[in-house]
Amino acid sequence: MSPTVPSALHQRLHDNQLTIASLHRGGMSRRPDGAELLSTDPELRYLVLEAPLSAPLPPGCHSIRVMPWAGELSRQLREHGFWRRGGLLYMSLGRELPPPPVVADFRVERAHTLEALVAFTNLQLDAFPELQDAGRRRFDFLLASQVRHLEDPSHHYVLGYQKGRAVSAGLLLRTGGVGGIYSLATQQAWRGRGMSRVLIASLVDEARSNGCDVIALQVGSGARAERLYRRLGFEPEFEVSLYGR
């Protein structure tokens, strides 16, 4: 497949994700074929290809995301020792959300203190095992990233509390009329009770009240959460191929 041009909507979704990645990982450097997401944590760096690879790979590069409009690059990437490891599905909300369930003793509040962001970061680490490998160093990195953007009006952090205990979390990032939902996490013991639906409804309401005409999120292709998002009205837009070595 030859490289193509992304639709205006797909470019907006892509820009939203690049924004949060660059803000929370440590920066971004543009290249002729895409962008390199930078970080002081080497394991969080990755390359985004928006076109066939045409510049040298960054030193120590071990992770590449290939946008669908870059064309078929598997053969080119195999020559550099990269193999496809999975996909990341970009979805947008195609209709009004169904009413969220009533969950007893559960409430959603904005996270606007250091204590709340500590709870937010712990929930991230609990929900995403791939973030846990670096231990305390990774916790400190993520917490510092959240704190830097606590007062940023484009960011809206929320926590879900069950009888006063933080058990779920989410983040809304607004860019160019797109409300991107990120960092959705619920503690294992509390999953399957409707808390994620309540949290998502809260973030969608926040996005709509701030003029967002597009609500979007990403999920690992084939992940269990994909079924939930489809039931809520999120529809697939495109899939990004994930390569590693």
Side-chain angles (χ1 to χ4, degrees):
M1 181 178 68
S2 300
T4 58
V5 176
S7 69
L9 173 59
H10 291 180
Q11 186 64 56
R12 291 171 69 195
L13 301 185
H14 180 42
D15 289 344
N16 186 272
Q17 201 282 328
L18 284 180
T19 298
I20 195 167
S22 62
L23 289 176
H24 287 267
R25 291 174 185 258
M28 179 175 68
S29 176
R30 273 291 179 184
R31 301 160 41 103
D33 50 13
E36 180 186 1
L37 275 299
L38 308 172
S39 178
T40 56
D41 185 337
E43 296 177 5
L44 295 180
R45 298 174 187 165
Y46 63 89
L47 182 63
V48 177
L49 290 178
E50 301 165 337
L53 186 65
S54 62
L57 289 171
C61 179
H62 65 274
S63 180
I64 297 177
R65 298 186 180 189
V66 178
M67 306 309 295
W69 48 88
E72 173 52 57
L73 305 185
S74 58
R75 178 178 299 179
Q76 185 185 33
L77 294 181
R78 281 200 299 270
E79 294 174 355
H80 294 275
F82 285 87
W83 295 86
R84 194 177 191 278
R85 306 298 190 192
L88 186 64
L89 190 63
Y90 283 56
M91 309 181 78
S92 68
L93 187 60
R95 56 178 170 81
E96 290 300 312
L97 283 175
V102 176
V103 182
D105 300 314
F106 181 73
R107 71 183 193 280
V108 176
E109 293 185 2
R110 184 166 189 176
H112 55 80
T113 66
L114 178 59
E115 180 182 9
L117 289 187
V118 168
F120 184 98
T121 305
N122 278 322
L123 283 163
Q124 276 192 294
L125 291 173
D126 180 66
F128 303 103
E130 65 272 16
L131 296 176
Q132 300 172 6
D133 295 341
R136 182 70 195 192
R137 176 172 61 84
R138 182 62 51 77
F139 174 86
D140 291 342
F141 180 91
L142 293 173
L143 178 60
S145 172
Q146 319 295 3
V147 171
R148 280 198 306 274
H149 301 288
L150 181 58
E151 302 300 330
D152 187 335
S154 69
H155 286 59
H156 184 79
Y157 297 92
V158 295
L159 287 171
Y161 292 89
Q162 177 69 24
K163 294 184 177 180
R165 175 187 174 189
V167 298
S168 60
L171 166 63
L172 177 75
L173 174 73
R174 293 182 286 107
T175 62
V178 175
I181 296 175
Y182 297 93
S183 301
L184 288 172
T186 300
Q187 285 184 340
Q188 182 71 38
W190 297 98
R191 293 175 186 172
R193 306 185 187 206
M195 294 176 181
S196 291
R197 291 180 58 187
V198 177
L199 203 75
I200 290 170
S202 172
L203 293 173
V204 169
D205 286 346
E206 176 68 19
R208 296 293 194 210
S209 67
N210 281 277
C212 293
D213 64 308
V214 176
I215 312 294
L217 49 73
Q218 294 98 49
V219 63
S221 301
R224 182 178 179 182
E226 181 185 336
R227 297 195 294 273
L228 168 64
Y229 301 150
R230 287 178 181 269
R231 289 199 302 271
L232 293 180
F234 287 89
E235 301 171 352
E237 292 292 345
F238 59 87
E239 184 183 40
V240 174
S241 295
L242 307 177
Y243 286 80
R245 63 177 178 183

